[in-house]
């Protein structure tokens, strides 16, 4: 059942960072209950592609979650939520700061009947500070963290990722924070509030840019696919029109690459002995690698690099990932039975545990599919549920 069996998580968040956090916990066995508004579902259900009226993203984002509906703005709905939180270990929410408090659902009330509760609050800019009330989408975090400023071609504009990068990084940080708080509960007996600003985890992943600015007064420039630390490092087009990526983060790999592409002469140059020296000669090194790669098919390039024990990777799209034998051996892509779409392929859990592995038990459920069952577990009888439904609370 997974290492988090027995942990209940209430996912009251929408869109991506919060729901992804709850998804990671559910993948490891937690019982996740997804709470949505009865008439305004999580907007993620409308993002991206759909098949036969079924949103495909929500099949992944909502996996391992039971779906219920509650109108949290109404007192009767708030009472239901308090009962749900009383039986939970974790609540994940990403409303704007003070929203839960305005609904009389602040941590004090939730923890009054459940002092061990961990409340994970994910917002764009945190619970304090002058920007706390701003809308907090991941795009803003990608912009303000410095990521966009250092991404893109030198003569081009700052570049944003075509997916929820900041949200995804924040979800991993939030899952880590939740597990840290649960571990602390073993010692203190008390839960606590996790205040996570989506802008901070991606900032933490961007290396020493702040220290570099502090100590040297320099800002990391945009370098396209090149690196400021080593060369050659770029993407290169093969003779068959496909692409590969080459990295030379270590000195011995750089030497192997240049010998492979027919330029052993540069290996003996004094400047070649350091990453900074190679970066200063990146045009020459790139030209040599690009010429050699451009004369061969992608499969030939990969095979020759493997023989030379040099670092290369084919640039994949989803079809390549699904067919790759390494991903197959790892079980990176898994098929999940779904009542709406039959067998659905999606990314598997993030890591493998030898004794208590996680797994995907079911794909994302329909809006409110499990409301009656979850309320019954909380002690509501059929008449109670009918009354809540008739008044629009669920």
């Amino acid at each position: 059942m997974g290492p988090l069996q027995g942990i209940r998580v209430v996912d009251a968040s929408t869109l991506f960072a919060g729901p992804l956090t709850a998804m990671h916990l559910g993948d490891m066995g937690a019982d996740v209950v997804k709470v949505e508004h009865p008439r305004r579902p999580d907007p993620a259900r409308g993002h991206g592609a759909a098949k036969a009226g079924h949103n495909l993203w929500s099949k992944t984002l909502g996996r391992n979650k039971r779906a219920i509906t509650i109108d949290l703005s109404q007192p009767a709905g708030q009472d239901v939520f308090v009962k749900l939180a009383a039986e939970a270990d974790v609540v994940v929410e990403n409303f704007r700061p003070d929203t839960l408090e305005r609904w009389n659902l602040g941590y004090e009330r939730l923890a009054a009947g459940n002092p061990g509760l961990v409340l994970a609050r994910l917002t764009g800019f945190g619970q304090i500070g002058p920007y706390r009330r701003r809308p907090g989408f991941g795009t803003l975090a990608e912009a303000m963290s410095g990521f966009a400023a250092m991404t893109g071609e030198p003569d081009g504009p700052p570049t944003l990722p075509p997916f929820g990068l900041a949200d995804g990084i924040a979800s991993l940080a939030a899952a880590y924070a939740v597990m840290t708080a649960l571990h602390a509960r073993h010692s203190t007996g008390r839960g606590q509030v996790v205040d996570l600003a989506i802008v901070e985890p991606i900032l933490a992943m961007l290396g020493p840019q702040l220290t570099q600015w502090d100590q040297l007064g320099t800002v990391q420039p945009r370098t396209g696919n090149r690196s400021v630390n080593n060369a050659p490092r770029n993407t290169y087009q093969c003779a068959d029109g496909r692409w590969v990526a080459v990295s030379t983060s270590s000195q011995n790999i750089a030497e192997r690459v240049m010998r492979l592409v027919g330029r052993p002469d540069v290996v003996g140059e004094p400047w070649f002995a350091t990453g900074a020296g190679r970066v200063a000669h990146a045009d020459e090194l790139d030209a040599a690698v690009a010429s050699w790669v451009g004369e061969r098919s992608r499969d030939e390039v990969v095979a020759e690099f493997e023989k030379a024990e040099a670092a290369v990777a084919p640039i994949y799209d989803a079809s390549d990932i699904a067919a790759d034998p390494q991903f197959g051996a790892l079980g990176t892509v898994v098929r999940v039975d779904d009542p709406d779409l039959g067998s659905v392929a999606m990314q598997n859990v993030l890591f493998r545990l030898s004794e208590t592995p996680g797994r995907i038990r079911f794909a994302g459920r329909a809006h409110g599919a499990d409301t009656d069952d979850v309320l019954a577990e909380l002690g509501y009888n059929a008449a109670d549920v009918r009354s809540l439904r008739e008044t629009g609370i669920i």
Side-chain angles (χ1 to χ4, degrees), residues 317-369:
D317 61 23
S319 64
D320 297 310
I321 294 167
D324 185 88
Q326 180 62 31
F327 289 134
L330 293 173
T332 306
V333 180
V334 65
R335 302 203 70 89
V336 181
D337 290 333
D338 180 71
D340 299 319
L341 298 173
S343 177
V344 179
M346 62 182 66
Q347 300 97 317
N348 207 342
V349 300
L350 288 174
F351 49 84
R352 288 157 293 282
L353 296 177
S354 63
E355 300 299 324
T356 56
R359 69 185 180 94
I360 303 170
R361 302 181 297 281
F362 50 89
R365 306 270 285 156
H367 179 234

Side-chain angles (χ1 to χ4, degrees), residues 237-255:
Q237 190 170 26
C238 306
D240 55 6
R242 297 179 175 183
W243 291 78
V244 295
V246 172
S247 176
T248 57
S249 294
S250 66
Q251 181 68 25
N252 61 341
I253 294 294
E255 294 174 4

Side-chain angles (χ1 to χ4, degrees), residues 41-88:
D42 185 338
R45 291 186 181 272
H47 279 241
K51 180 181 178 181
H54 300 288
N55 179 265
L56 299 182
W57 203 341
S58 65
K59 289 297 180 183
T60 297
L61 197 61
R63 70 194 194 192
N64 293 333
K65 301 179 185 180
R66 297 192 287 167
I68 73 170
T69 60
I70 309 173
D71 185 347
L72 300 182
S73 68
Q74 301 301 316
Q78 294 157 14
D79 291 341
V80 175
F81 191 80
V82 169
K83 289 184 179 180
L84 186 61
E87 301 295 325

